[in-house]
Amino acid sequence: MTFMSKPLKKKLLVAGWVLALFLIAALGGYAVASTQRILPRVQVGSLAIGGLTREQALMAVRQRLTEFQEQGIALKINGDREVIQLQDIGFSASPEAVVDTAWAFGHAGPWYAMITDHVMAMLMPQSFSAPVQYNQEALESSIDDIAQIIEKPSRDIRLHIQGTAVGVLYDTQPGKIVDRVRAAQLVVRALGQLEATDITLALVDD
């Protein structure tokens, strides 16, 4: 059986206390700093605003919303690219509400929940969907307008008959249509991400 000498035990004890004090100081500094800022690794949609003050986050969100409104969301279907303008679907979002969504993580709720949020923020990124408003009927109408430009109608078989000879001019072909439900789901997801992205869809059989 091996015994540690008293000097070694003393050194290990001192090292342990130093490490504990360092961790306490680091966590204390982190806690104080995070009371004035959104927790690190927090993002709303695709916009990373972790570590920012409320004022800094508001500036970042306002800029993103301006860019988002200008660019819109594009549907790429069968080689065609059609843009849904956000004003046409009644899109709106409050910068303050977006920032509040991020701020609430680690700053609101019971103490044990806030502690859990702080730990989670240190371990992995935290992403939240932005609170946005839009008109569902207007969105469906915009998608329908785009679909009517791109969709291909079904075609019945057409025969060429000359005397007793029968030839096939072209065979039956199913129509190709836009999956409107899927398109709407992807647009709504992009709205919550505050991301002017191209959404790629394939035509499906009618």
Side-chain angles (χ1 to χ4, degrees):
M1 189 174 187
T2 304
F3 295 93
M4 287 188 293
S5 63
K6 288 185 177 181
L8 180 58
K9 285 184 179 180
K10 186 175 181 180
K11 289 181 180 178
L12 290 175
L13 183 61
V14 170
W17 276 107
V18 169
L19 179 60
L21 290 173
F22 174 79
L23 290 174
I24 291 172
L27 290 174
Y30 168 82
V32 171
S34 64
T35 59
Q36 307 299 324
R37 296 176 180 272
I38 295 170
L39 294 190
R41 298 189 180 188
V42 169
Q43 60 187 58
V44 177
S46 60
L47 181 62
I49 53 177
L52 302 182
T53 63
R54 290 183 68 97
E55 292 72 22
Q56 292 170 335
L58 277 171
M59 290 179 61
V61 170
R62 289 190 181 108
Q63 181 178 352
R64 170 59 67 86
L65 286 174
T66 298
E67 296 171 350
F68 195 30
Q69 291 275 13
E70 292 174 350
Q71 297 175 27
I73 297 175
L75 295 183
K76 293 180 68 175
I77 308 171
N78 200 37
D80 293 309
R81 185 178 186 272
E82 300 290 338
V83 177
I84 295 176
Q85 301 296 338
L86 300 190
Q87 62 267 25
D88 292 342
I89 61 173
F91 172 84
S92 65
S94 164
E96 290 77 12
V98 173
V99 172
D100 286 344
T101 298
W103 183 267
F105 184 72
H107 293 97
W111 63 268
Y112 53 84
M114 289 191 288
I115 291 176
T116 301
D117 290 346
H118 280 253
V119 173
M120 293 299 294
M122 289 188 290
L123 295 177
M124 64 185 69
Q126 304 295 317
S127 181
F128 302 93
S129 180
V132 301
Q133 293 79 43
Y134 62 95
N135 185 300
Q136 182 68 29
E137 290 184 1
L139 171 59
E140 292 174 358
S141 178
S142 292
I143 293 174
D144 192 55
D145 290 342
I146 292 173
Q148 291 181 30
I149 297 172
I150 298 172
E151 289 178 338
K152 298 179 180 180
S154 60
R155 188 169 68 178
D156 293 330
I157 188 171
R158 185 171 180 180
L159 304 176
H160 174 68
I161 302 174
Q162 186 173 7
T164 58
V166 179
V168 177
L169 291 177
Y170 50 76
D171 205 347
T172 302
Q173 291 184 354
K176 295 290 185 179
I177 63 173
V178 174
D179 185 340
R180 289 161 168 76
V181 174
R182 178 61 175 164
Q185 291 173 341
L186 293 175
V187 170
V188 170
R189 179 180 178 184
L191 293 177
Q193 293 290 305
L194 303 180
E195 188 172 14
T197 184
D198 283 6
I199 296 174
T200 302
L201 291 168
L203 292 175
V204 298
D205 290 341
D206 188 358

